[in-house]
Each structure stands twice: as C-alpha cells, then as structure tokens.
Amino acid sequence: MFALEYIQDKLNFDSSVTPHFITESGAGRHGVAGLLLGVIFGFHACIILLQGYLDPEKVGLIQWSVYMCLFCFFHASEWYITAVYRPSELGYKSWLINHSMQYTIAQIASCIEFWVEFFFLPFWLKSNRILITLTFCFSSIAICIRISGMVTAGGNFDHIVMMRKKVKSELKTSTQTVYVI
C-alpha cells in the first residue's frame, strides 16, 4: 500500500513547495499534466503510424498504443471541456489524473493485466487487428458521447459527485440523453 500512496502523493503534488505547484490551479501542475499526456500520446501515435514496420508478433504493442492514445485524449478532453464551460472551476483536478486512490489502483491494474496477457497468453489473443479496430471504434464513440454530454450540460456539468443540487443548476434535456439512458 505504501507504493500506491507514494504514487498518489506524486499525482497530487503533495510534497511540492514551488508556488506553481502548491495550488490546485497552479500553472506548473497544468503544464506537467499537459506535457506528460502530450508526450505519451505522441509516442504511442508514432507506434500506431509505424505499425507496418513492426514485427508481426508485436501487434499487441499497437493495441497498447491505441489504449494509451485514447487514455491521453480522454484526460485532455476532460480538461478542455472544463476550461471552455466552467473556467472558474478549472484546476489540476480537471485533468482527472489524480481522481482518487481507487482510480490509480484501477489504472495500474489495467496496465499490469495488459502486459501479463501480452507476455503469457497466446499470440493470436492479443494480435487480432479486427478486435483492436472494433475496440478503438467503440471506445472513441464512448468518449464522444461523454464529451457531447459535457457540452450539452455546459455549466451544469461537474466531475465531482454532487450530494445537493447547486443553486444555479438546471435540468438539460436532449435527444442524446434519451438515447444514452
């Protein structure tokens, strides 16, 4: 548990003393989050683009790269939509990187699961390009639905689970809500 607490402390910048990192809305926190997500996205996008040059037995790397690109895009889009529709609440938490200890555990577990399967399961299980493509399509659609919902809700959207109705919030109804729910 110590290792998980250490990771969570780093994600929360708990030991920072520099002014740009102490506050929730510090430019340093936003810069580090954006830079790391951008570098991770770019690196994995290059792997996807260069897939023709990879060893055919390493198709699982493409699957991992697709996952990482979607992961980075999801977190960046969460921040961007908050910046557009709720600028007064924009903070490091808007990236959703440091969401909670449970989220950190789930992300680490998903990475371990992938790599254990990659190295120990049969080649064909992690190398099905049709499955990779379908997974990419479904995940992209899900992210688009979430972004659309956030845009529809506008200023009423919040990352934090609300226990009480905000004073200025209003119910938004649209065809999207009908089809998704």
Side-chain angles (χ1 to χ4, degrees):
M1 196 62 156
F2 174 73
L4 290 172
E5 290 171 356
Y6 176 79
I7 291 170
Q8 196 64 38
D9 287 347
K10 292 299 178 189
L11 289 173
N12 291 331
F13 292 95
D14 285 343
S15 59
S16 296
V17 293
T18 311
H20 298 295
F21 291 94
I22 319 177
T23 64
E24 172 66 28
S25 59
R29 290 183 181 203
H30 290 286
V32 168
L35 177 68
L36 287 176
L37 287 174
V39 167
I40 292 168
F41 181 90
F43 176 77
H44 289 92
C46 287
I47 290 174
I48 294 168
L49 294 173
L50 298 172
Q51 68 179 326
Y53 300 104
L54 290 175
D55 180 2
E57 297 212 5
K58 302 298 181 207
V59 175
L61 291 177
I62 296 167
Q63 186 179 16
W64 172 257
S65 296
V66 166
Y67 167 73
M68 290 307 296
C69 285
L70 288 169
F71 174 84
C72 292
F73 181 77
F74 167 78
H75 285 286
S77 67
E78 290 289 320
W79 182 87
Y80 178 75
I81 297 298
T82 304
V84 170
Y85 291 98
R86 303 206 49 182
S88 63
E89 295 184 18
L90 186 66
Y92 176 66
K93 68 178 190 246
S94 302
W95 291 97
L96 293 185
I97 293 172
N98 64 331
H99 184 269
S100 64
M101 178 70 83
Q102 293 83 0
Y103 181 77
T104 302
I105 291 169
Q107 287 302 321
I108 292 170
S110 73
C111 294
I112 291 170
E113 175 190 19
F114 177 86
W115 289 107
V116 166
E117 289 176 356
F118 180 77
F119 286 114
F120 298 110
L121 290 180
F123 165 73
W124 58 268
L125 195 61
K126 282 286 183 195
S127 62
N128 187 330
R129 289 181 189 261
I130 294 171
L131 186 60
I132 293 170
T133 304
L134 284 173
T135 303
F136 171 77
C137 291
F138 287 137
S139 298
S140 298
I141 290 168
I143 290 173
C144 289
I145 289 171
R146 178 163 172 89
I147 291 170
S148 173
M150 291 168 63
V151 169
T152 301
N156 293 315
F157 182 82
D158 206 322
H159 295 294
I160 300 166
V161 176
M162 293 295 168
M163 303 309 271
R164 293 187 184 98
K165 180 183 173 197
K166 287 185 177 179
V167 176
K168 293 183 179 181
S169 69
E170 60 183 79
L171 178 63
K172 297 283 186 172
T173 57
S174 70
T175 54
Q176 174 202 356
T177 310
V178 172
Y179 290 119
V180 173
I181 295 176

